[in-house]
Amino acid sequence: MKRLTALLALSLALGVQAQHTMTVDVAKPTAKIQPTMYGVFFEDINFGADGGLYAELVKNRSFEFPQPFVGWVPFGQVTVEDEKPCFDRNPHYIRIVNDGRLLRAGIDNEGYRGIGLKQGEEYRFSVYARTPDATPVKLSVELVNSNAENPVKKEIEIKGQEWQKVAVVLKSSFTDAHSRLRIVVQSKGTVDLDHISLFPVNTWKQRENGLRADLVQALYDLNPGVFRFPGGCIIEGNSLATRYQWKNSVGPVENRPLNENRWNYTFKHKAFPDYFQSLGLGFYEYFLLSEDIGAEPLPVVSCGLSCQYESNEIVSLDQLDPYVQDALDLIEFANGDVNTTWGKVRADMGHPAPFNLKMIAVGNEQWGEVYPERLEVFTKAIRAKYPDIKVVGSSGPSAGGEQFDYLWPEMKRIGVDLVDEHYYMAPDWFLTNAARYDSYDRKGPKVFAGEYAAHDHASGKANNLYAALSEAAFMTGLERNADVVHLATYAPLFAHVDAWQWNPDLIWFDNLRMMRTPNYYVQQMYGMNTGTDVLKLQMDGKPVTGQDSLYATAAWDEPTGEIIVKLVNVASHPAEVKIDFTGLKKRQLVSGTCTYLHDGDLKTVNTLEQETLVPRVRPVQVKGQTLELQLPEHFFGVYRLQLN
Ligand code: AHR
């Protein structure tokens, strides 16, 4: 063995490349690959929803933050009121009085680390307003740039003692990531204002309560099979009172009550006291988004345990009914007939057709006996009412260890359909775990790799090529074991460059731009090239799980009749690979393409200014039933091969 290693080292030093022969048996696929296999997991962390995907530009638009002027600079006489409110679940509003002496009263919003405005783009301002003493009042609505100039303004008139919605569209004359919105009372009088909102007109699909078009496009481009939402830890809450309650997130957007965001004080060295959830991006919008991006929705509900790292509050079993009912009602909201209570809510919001929900997850990273005790109650109730809905349980916060070893048998006992596994580990772990699922029980629940990402601590957990390649290598093992692994989602998804709590993340953005990481492109290369059936790929009679730093998997794609081979070379030297395809009978390879990610430096990252690492495509020379390849160092390639 020692001699072999020495020989390999010597040949590399002499520039002689290691040669490897792999075989792919095309005749006998070994497993079906689920269309849901590669997906996305969304959580409102790192300003992923408010300040991110949710395109609202005004922070604290309803004045419901515990300190009601957070995000605002009031000037002149401005007070917070709640008498005869416009919205009963968001009762605060502001009263601005301009007594004519100062002729200068109003309020100014800072957005989420600024408001991003683009020259030539239109923005829809709206407000609920009334004039309590019936004297009409003139307001100027202004877009203010970071030099404190207000070149864009429009005047609106408020009249009447009843609340009414007033809207106006402004076209920005400048591009600025750190603009502000200002409202100035221009005439003598008193005005009440609530739910002050500013959205780009050009949201995804031009929806008024819409999402940032560039960020949704990035999700769409992943071709995701599943969409897990809304968390993560936020479904648990720092306390039970602040858990995610989906019923608060549907119905008129103005009346969805504010919730604390669990990520505000989670990391003591990186606190975000102004991080709350408006729930403007709520369960209706999540289901709609799943539909838009072609992914199966996978909502997660609280199982009656708050975050066990934080407060660890537990709902006793005899008090669990409302929680279970929430899960059942959620299924009705997604799939119920328009005549059902919750199906009607969905229809009234604009979607009479069902969302065709097929799965629901109960709990996130729960552990201990308290979890299976509760999960079992949920599972029985869901199975009794909705036998076709698949239930997803959890194996806790880690990839192994005491809790994991306790929970997996419990999941089997309860009989959940899928078990959610989470691993935030070093790249080396991903490389050495490419065979993790080769020996998993084929008769138990299926695996949902629900949260994973390679954390390269040496680089400050950067989204670099090394992390991305280690994920690509690990994912060959997910694909090879597609009979047991049915879903996989990287985490977290989004991060605002000025307001993140957790890294690495798949997509970074500021108020104007977004950046796809190399990890994103790995996900995309898998998502765009999933295939339908696993093919047996071997080298020296074994799966390729890291021999000489090579990783590989192969699939058949039924709709196109193509063979898809994914190859990863993590080594810092090239490799010669020959692949013999067997079982083709008289068929020959006629052409092929290779989509690849490669760079000489494993530390390379993408930035908002420049995406250095993007997939490139080139043709591949094929010969009969063989493929001969020179794999560069630090390389991930997806080969699509056509047959005659
Ligand atoms: O993805 C970030 C967090 O990591 C999730 O909220 C949680 O499930 C995990 O601990």
Short mmCIF file of all heavy atoms in Angstrom, two decimals, residues 55 57 116-125 143 152 154 168-174 198-203 206:
data_model
loop_
_atom_site.label_atom_id
_atom_site.label_comp_id
_atom_site.label_asym_id
_atom_site.label_seq_id
_atom_site.Cartn_x
_atom_site.Cartn_y
_atom_site.Cartn_z
N ALA A 55 -40.75 42.02 -1.35
CA ALA A 55 -40.25 43.25 -1.99
C ALA A 55 -40.66 44.54 -1.29
O ALA A 55 -40.30 45.64 -1.75
CB ALA A 55 -40.70 43.27 -3.45
N LEU A 57 -40.47 47.75 0.70
CA LEU A 57 -39.25 48.53 0.96
C LEU A 57 -39.31 49.30 2.27
O LEU A 57 -38.30 49.87 2.70
CB LEU A 57 -39.02 49.49 -0.22
CG LEU A 57 -38.77 48.78 -1.57
CD1 LEU A 57 -38.86 49.76 -2.73
CD2 LEU A 57 -37.41 48.10 -1.56
N GLY A 116 -33.50 50.38 -1.69
CA GLY A 116 -32.85 50.28 -3.01
C GLY A 116 -33.78 50.79 -4.10
O GLY A 116 -34.88 50.26 -4.28
N LEU A 117 -33.35 51.83 -4.79
CA LEU A 117 -34.15 52.38 -5.89
C LEU A 117 -33.31 52.37 -7.16
O LEU A 117 -32.10 52.64 -7.11
CB LEU A 117 -34.58 53.82 -5.59
CG LEU A 117 -35.48 54.03 -4.36
CD1 LEU A 117 -35.75 55.52 -4.15
CD2 LEU A 117 -36.80 53.27 -4.50
N LYS A 118 -33.95 52.09 -8.29
CA LYS A 118 -33.22 52.05 -9.55
C LYS A 118 -33.77 53.12 -10.50
O LYS A 118 -35.00 53.26 -10.63
CB LYS A 118 -33.37 50.68 -10.21
CG LYS A 118 -32.62 49.59 -9.49
CD LYS A 118 -32.67 48.29 -10.27
CE LYS A 118 -32.00 47.20 -9.44
NZ LYS A 118 -32.34 45.86 -9.85
N GLN A 119 -32.85 53.80 -11.15
CA GLN A 119 -33.25 54.85 -12.09
C GLN A 119 -34.18 54.28 -13.16
O GLN A 119 -33.90 53.22 -13.74
CB GLN A 119 -32.00 55.40 -12.77
CG GLN A 119 -32.30 56.58 -13.66
CD GLN A 119 -31.03 57.16 -14.24
OE1 GLN A 119 -29.97 56.55 -14.19
NE2 GLN A 119 -31.13 58.36 -14.79
N GLY A 120 -35.29 54.98 -13.39
CA GLY A 120 -36.23 54.56 -14.43
C GLY A 120 -37.26 53.54 -13.97
O GLY A 120 -38.23 53.28 -14.67
N GLU A 121 -37.05 52.96 -12.79
CA GLU A 121 -38.01 51.97 -12.27
C GLU A 121 -39.16 52.69 -11.56
O GLU A 121 -38.97 53.75 -10.95
CB GLU A 121 -37.35 51.03 -11.28
CG GLU A 121 -36.44 50.01 -11.90
CD GLU A 121 -37.19 48.89 -12.60
OE1 GLU A 121 -38.21 48.41 -12.07
OE2 GLU A 121 -36.75 48.50 -13.70
N GLU A 122 -40.32 52.04 -11.59
CA GLU A 122 -41.49 52.63 -10.92
C GLU A 122 -41.72 51.96 -9.57
O GLU A 122 -41.50 50.76 -9.42
CB GLU A 122 -42.72 52.46 -11.79
CG GLU A 122 -42.65 53.30 -13.06
CD GLU A 122 -43.93 53.24 -13.87
OE1 GLU A 122 -44.47 52.11 -14.01
OE2 GLU A 122 -44.38 54.29 -14.33
N TYR A 123 -42.20 52.76 -8.62
CA TYR A 123 -42.45 52.28 -7.26
C TYR A 123 -43.86 52.68 -6.84
O TYR A 123 -44.25 53.84 -7.03
CB TYR A 123 -41.40 52.85 -6.30
CG TYR A 123 -40.02 52.35 -6.68
CD1 TYR A 123 -39.25 53.03 -7.63
CD2 TYR A 123 -39.53 51.15 -6.18
CE1 TYR A 123 -38.01 52.54 -8.06
CE2 TYR A 123 -38.30 50.65 -6.59
CZ TYR A 123 -37.55 51.34 -7.53
OH TYR A 123 -36.35 50.84 -7.96
N ARG A 124 -44.58 51.73 -6.29
CA ARG A 124 -45.96 52.00 -5.89
C ARG A 124 -45.99 52.32 -4.40
O ARG A 124 -45.70 51.47 -3.56
CB ARG A 124 -46.85 50.79 -6.18
CG ARG A 124 -48.31 51.03 -5.85
CD ARG A 124 -49.20 49.85 -6.19
NE ARG A 124 -49.36 49.67 -7.63
CZ ARG A 124 -48.79 48.71 -8.34
NH1 ARG A 124 -48.05 47.81 -7.73
NH2 ARG A 124 -48.97 48.61 -9.63
N PHE A 125 -46.35 53.57 -4.11
CA PHE A 125 -46.53 53.99 -2.72
C PHE A 125 -47.99 53.82 -2.37
O PHE A 125 -48.87 54.16 -3.17
CB PHE A 125 -46.12 55.47 -2.58
CG PHE A 125 -46.55 56.08 -1.28
CD1 PHE A 125 -45.75 55.98 -0.15
CD2 PHE A 125 -47.78 56.76 -1.17
CE1 PHE A 125 -46.15 56.53 1.07
CE2 PHE A 125 -48.19 57.31 0.04
CZ PHE A 125 -47.37 57.19 1.15
N LEU A 143 -39.00 60.49 -2.67
CA LEU A 143 -37.90 59.54 -2.67
C LEU A 143 -36.62 60.34 -2.45
O LEU A 143 -36.31 61.25 -3.21
CB LEU A 143 -37.83 58.79 -4.01
CG LEU A 143 -39.10 58.04 -4.41
CD1 LEU A 143 -38.93 57.33 -5.76
CD2 LEU A 143 -39.52 57.02 -3.33
N VAL A 152 -37.44 63.23 -6.38
CA VAL A 152 -38.69 62.62 -6.87
C VAL A 152 -39.78 62.83 -5.84
O VAL A 152 -39.64 62.40 -4.68
CB VAL A 152 -38.48 61.10 -7.10
CG1 VAL A 152 -39.75 60.48 -7.67
CG2 VAL A 152 -37.29 60.84 -8.00
N LYS A 154 -44.32 63.39 -5.31
CA LYS A 154 -45.67 63.54 -5.85
C LYS A 154 -46.58 63.97 -4.72
O LYS A 154 -46.38 63.57 -3.57
CB LYS A 154 -46.17 62.22 -6.42
CG LYS A 154 -45.77 62.03 -7.88
CD LYS A 154 -46.66 61.02 -8.58
CE LYS A 154 -46.25 60.94 -10.05
NZ LYS A 154 -46.80 59.77 -10.71
N VAL A 168 -50.08 55.91 -5.14
CA VAL A 168 -49.51 56.71 -6.22
C VAL A 168 -48.21 56.02 -6.68
O VAL A 168 -47.52 55.39 -5.87
CB VAL A 168 -49.24 58.16 -5.73
CG1 VAL A 168 -48.18 58.22 -4.65
CG2 VAL A 168 -48.86 59.08 -6.87
N VAL A 169 -47.92 56.12 -7.98
CA VAL A 169 -46.70 55.49 -8.50
C VAL A 169 -45.66 56.58 -8.77
O VAL A 169 -45.96 57.62 -9.37
CB VAL A 169 -47.00 54.70 -9.80
CG1 VAL A 169 -45.71 54.23 -10.47
CG2 VAL A 169 -47.89 53.50 -9.46
N LEU A 170 -44.43 56.35 -8.29
CA LEU A 170 -43.34 57.31 -8.52
C LEU A 170 -42.26 56.62 -9.36
O LEU A 170 -41.95 55.45 -9.13
CB LEU A 170 -42.71 57.74 -7.20
CG LEU A 170 -43.64 58.45 -6.22
CD1 LEU A 170 -43.93 57.56 -5.03
CD2 LEU A 170 -43.01 59.75 -5.75
N LYS A 171 -41.69 57.39 -10.29
CA LYS A 171 -40.60 56.83 -11.09
C LYS A 171 -39.29 57.41 -10.56
O LYS A 171 -39.15 58.64 -10.48
CB LYS A 171 -40.80 57.23 -12.55
CG LYS A 171 -39.84 56.51 -13.48
CD LYS A 171 -40.00 57.02 -14.89
CE LYS A 171 -40.41 55.88 -15.78
NZ LYS A 171 -40.49 56.19 -17.17
N SER A 172 -38.36 56.54 -10.23
CA SER A 172 -37.11 57.05 -9.65
C SER A 172 -36.21 57.65 -10.73
O SER A 172 -36.06 57.07 -11.81
CB SER A 172 -36.36 55.94 -8.91
OG SER A 172 -35.20 56.47 -8.33
N SER A 173 -35.60 58.78 -10.42
CA SER A 173 -34.68 59.41 -11.37
C SER A 173 -33.24 59.05 -11.03
O SER A 173 -32.31 59.57 -11.63
CB SER A 173 -34.86 60.94 -11.33
OG SER A 173 -34.60 61.40 -10.02
N PHE A 174 -33.05 58.18 -10.03
CA PHE A 174 -31.68 57.87 -9.60
C PHE A 174 -31.59 56.42 -9.14
O PHE A 174 -32.60 55.79 -8.83
CB PHE A 174 -31.24 58.81 -8.48
CG PHE A 174 -32.14 58.77 -7.28
CD1 PHE A 174 -31.92 57.88 -6.24
CD2 PHE A 174 -33.23 59.64 -7.17
CE1 PHE A 174 -32.75 57.82 -5.13
CE2 PHE A 174 -34.07 59.60 -6.06
CZ PHE A 174 -33.83 58.70 -5.04
N LEU A 198 -44.20 50.79 0.25
CA LEU A 198 -43.57 51.14 -1.04
C LEU A 198 -43.03 49.84 -1.65
O LEU A 198 -42.18 49.16 -1.04
CB LEU A 198 -42.43 52.14 -0.83
CG LEU A 198 -41.77 52.67 -2.10
CD1 LEU A 198 -42.69 53.65 -2.83
CD2 LEU A 198 -40.43 53.37 -1.77
N PHE A 199 -43.52 49.52 -2.82
CA PHE A 199 -43.09 48.30 -3.52
C PHE A 199 -42.59 48.67 -4.91
O PHE A 199 -43.17 49.57 -5.54
CB PHE A 199 -44.28 47.36 -3.75
CG PHE A 199 -44.53 46.36 -2.67
CD1 PHE A 199 -45.37 46.69 -1.60
CD2 PHE A 199 -43.97 45.11 -2.71
CE1 PHE A 199 -45.63 45.76 -0.60
CE2 PHE A 199 -44.22 44.18 -1.71
CZ PHE A 199 -45.05 44.51 -0.65
N PRO A 200 -41.61 47.98 -5.44
CA PRO A 200 -41.34 48.15 -6.87
C PRO A 200 -42.58 47.68 -7.64
O PRO A 200 -43.22 46.70 -7.23
CB PRO A 200 -40.17 47.21 -7.15
CG PRO A 200 -39.83 46.53 -5.88
CD PRO A 200 -40.78 46.97 -4.81
N VAL A 201 -42.91 48.34 -8.73
CA VAL A 201 -44.02 47.86 -9.57
C VAL A 201 -43.59 46.55 -10.21
O VAL A 201 -44.35 45.61 -10.35
CB VAL A 201 -44.37 48.93 -10.64
CG1 VAL A 201 -45.34 48.36 -11.68
CG2 VAL A 201 -44.98 50.16 -9.95
N ASN A 202 -42.30 46.50 -10.54
CA ASN A 202 -41.78 45.33 -11.24
C ASN A 202 -41.35 44.23 -10.25
O ASN A 202 -40.18 43.88 -10.15
CB ASN A 202 -40.59 45.77 -12.11
CG ASN A 202 -40.11 44.64 -12.99
OD1 ASN A 202 -40.87 43.72 -13.28
ND2 ASN A 202 -38.85 44.69 -13.37
N THR A 203 -42.34 43.71 -9.54
CA THR A 203 -42.06 42.54 -8.70
C THR A 203 -42.16 41.29 -9.57
O THR A 203 -42.55 41.37 -10.74
CB THR A 203 -43.09 42.43 -7.56
OG1 THR A 203 -44.39 42.36 -8.17
CG2 THR A 203 -43.03 43.61 -6.60
N GLN A 206 -45.28 40.87 -11.44
CA GLN A 206 -45.94 42.17 -11.22
C GLN A 206 -47.03 42.11 -10.14
O GLN A 206 -48.00 42.87 -10.18
CB GLN A 206 -46.56 42.70 -12.52
CG GLN A 206 -45.61 43.54 -13.36
CD GLN A 206 -44.59 42.70 -14.08
OE1 GLN A 206 -44.93 41.67 -14.62
NE2 GLN A 206 -43.34 43.14 -14.07
#
